[in-house]
Amino acid sequence: AGPFSHRHSRMIAVRPAAPDNVLHGPKQLSQEALLAVQRSGITSARRLLCMSELELVEALDLYVSDVRAVVAAAAAVCAPPPSTAQQLMREAPLPTGLAALDGHLGGGLRPGSVTEIVGASAVGKTELCLAVAAEALVTGHARGAGVVYVDTECGFKATRLLQLVGRSLQRRGVQADPHELLYRVTVLAADEWEGYEQCLSRIRALFQDDTRLATGLLVVDSIAAPARAHFERARLSERQRLLSSHAALFKSLAEEEGLVVLVTNQVQGSSGSDDGGLRELSRVGEPEDEMSACLGTSWAHCVNVRLVLHSAEQPPAAVAATLAPPRRQLRVAKANFCSAASFDLDATLEGLVQAAG
């Protein structure tokens, strides 16, 4: 089975209700309890589960035993269906196209998780996102796999994706029309915060309603750009609150749909002066990193895997050679299933490739 195929088919058949879904009256609740919920104005399981038992007694005007039944019903709405160990084994990772990295990660980026690529401007974050998108299209072409790409930095280039898809098809010996595969990519573009929030509000509906795409990959490139541009220093707490809600959306989509969610993040100087003077940010790399990942530690805790991409020093002989490609280093900085590791890459016309030697 291709990446995500088992979980996607399972989720189409038995899609668990999202935490924000309206409560539709589970059968195990009494009519009195259902009417109490309707009168209270509580319309989502998320809101209900965030309230204390005392608050619910007052809001619903019910006995404690009835309130506990309502909470249990709301929890049942949100709970995902159980999976067997064998089902989880079938959820194949999504390869990145970098064999050494994929081997270290156990096959690639894992469905049901959020992976972050951190790096400075022009270091190759978008190139890596496009490469992963190409791999998703090619490895999942037989089941009609699609990609949703949220572009907030005007970095998405369809012509570059077409090139990478063509090269992936050739490398894997797959017979498919690269132009046809690009019809399976949905691009949502926004270069400011309001437009970005509208894109996010459309994403869940897109996954629920668009049956054309067995979507296996969601890319957000980048999450930092609209947030940093919109929120000044006095509003950093508001920014962190909204980013936490976005992280919850990404995580719920990853888990419910069996997606790989891939986001990019920017870096800033250790003084944090361009981001409101934040000092709690996570250090992301080694030699050149008097730099830190943007958006703070609260955001850092939301990602399952953090990959750090930065320019790497090259040997003098390579620097002397005028045709030597720019060298990059990709570091696995955070992952709960494998150790930290670094990989040297060359930025070539073929894309980011494993460095020779």
Side-chain angles (χ1 to χ4, degrees), residues 2-357:
F4 327 116
S5 57
H6 174 78
R7 179 179 282 203
H8 186 82
S9 62
R10 176 169 62 85
M11 299 310 291
I12 289 292
V14 187
R15 182 187 299 276
D20 287 326
N21 279 2
V22 174
L23 293 171
H24 293 296
K27 292 181 180 179
Q28 65 266 34
L29 289 183
S30 67
Q31 187 66 26
E32 179 185 3
L34 289 175
L35 291 174
V37 173
Q38 292 170 2
R39 288 194 302 266
S40 71
I42 300 173
T43 58
S44 71
R46 180 188 299 277
R47 181 181 170 192
L48 189 146
L49 292 173
C50 287
M51 298 175 69
S52 69
E53 193 171 86
L54 179 58
E55 289 173 331
L56 288 172
V57 168
E58 294 178 350
L60 302 179
D61 193 22
L62 293 173
Y63 291 111
V64 172
S65 58
D66 293 325
V67 165
R68 289 173 179 170
V70 170
V71 170
V77 169
C78 296
S83 299
T84 67
Q86 182 60 32
Q87 288 172 336
L88 295 175
M89 286 290 291
R90 295 174 187 171
E91 294 167 2
L94 171 61
T96 65
L98 299 170
L101 175 64
D102 290 339
H104 186 75
L105 295 177
L109 308 183
R110 295 190 173 191
S113 66
V114 178
T115 299
E116 177 191 46
I117 304 172
V118 178
S121 176
V123 76
K125 301 187 300 296
T126 296
E127 178 75 5
L128 186 53
C129 286
L130 292 173
V132 174
E135 292 297 311
L137 293 171
V138 172
T139 59
H141 82 284
R143 64 181 180 84
V147 173
V148 174
Y149 199 112
V150 180
D151 179 21
T152 68
E153 294 190 346
C154 302
F156 178 85
K157 297 293 186 289
T159 52
R160 182 57 176 161
L161 179 57
L162 181 65
Q163 292 172 346
L164 294 172
V165 168
R167 289 165 184 161
S168 180
L169 288 169
Q170 184 178 20
R171 184 175 68 253
R172 294 181 176 278
V174 174
Q175 299 297 317
D177 183 348
H179 291 86
E180 288 296 322
L181 292 183
L182 259 63
Y183 281 109
R184 300 175 183 173
V185 181
T186 300
V187 181
L188 303 175
D191 58 3
E192 39 76 34
W193 181 260
E194 289 76 13
Y196 172 64
E197 286 211 304
Q198 289 178 6
C199 287
L200 295 187
S201 68
R202 294 177 56 193
I203 284 176
R204 187 179 290 281
L206 186 66
F207 280 103
Q208 291 178 341
D209 299 338
D210 191 353
T211 55
R212 294 181 301 108
L213 300 178
T215 305
L217 174 66
L218 167 63
V219 178
V220 182
D221 182 24
S222 77
I223 190 170
R228 297 180 78 192
H230 183 72
F231 293 96
E232 64 275 10
R233 180 172 184 173
R235 301 175 62 199
L236 291 180
S237 60
E238 179 187 359
R239 185 194 72 176
Q240 295 308 104
R241 178 180 59 80
L242 290 171
L243 285 173
S244 294
S245 70
H246 296 169
L249 170 64
F250 298 147
K251 281 183 171 290
S252 64
L253 280 173
E255 293 170 0
E256 292 170 17
E257 305 291 341
L259 294 176
V260 167
V261 177
L262 180 62
V263 303
T264 66
N265 193 0
Q266 300 171 347
V267 295
Q268 65 180 33
S270 57
S271 65
S273 58
D274 66 341
D275 215 17
L278 280 178
R279 303 304 295 268
E280 83 276 15
L281 304 182
S282 301
R283 296 293 291 270
V284 297
E286 294 176 357
E288 74 173 21
D289 291 335
E290 288 305 323
M291 305 295 288
S292 299
C294 293
L295 308 183
T297 52
S298 58
W299 165 256
H301 291 313
C302 294
V303 301
N304 302 104
V305 177
R306 169 171 278 181
L307 305 176
V308 179
L309 184 64
H310 59 80
S311 300
E313 293 185 5
Q314 293 176 270
V319 174
T322 57
L323 297 180
R327 178 64 54 86
R328 301 287 186 261
Q329 187 175 80
L330 183 64
R331 190 165 70 91
V332 180
K334 173 187 175 182
N336 61 3
F337 54 87
C338 65
S339 61
S342 296
F343 304 92
D344 288 332
L345 309 174
D346 286 333
T348 72
L349 293 177
E350 300 294 317
L352 291 171
V353 300
Q354 194 76 31

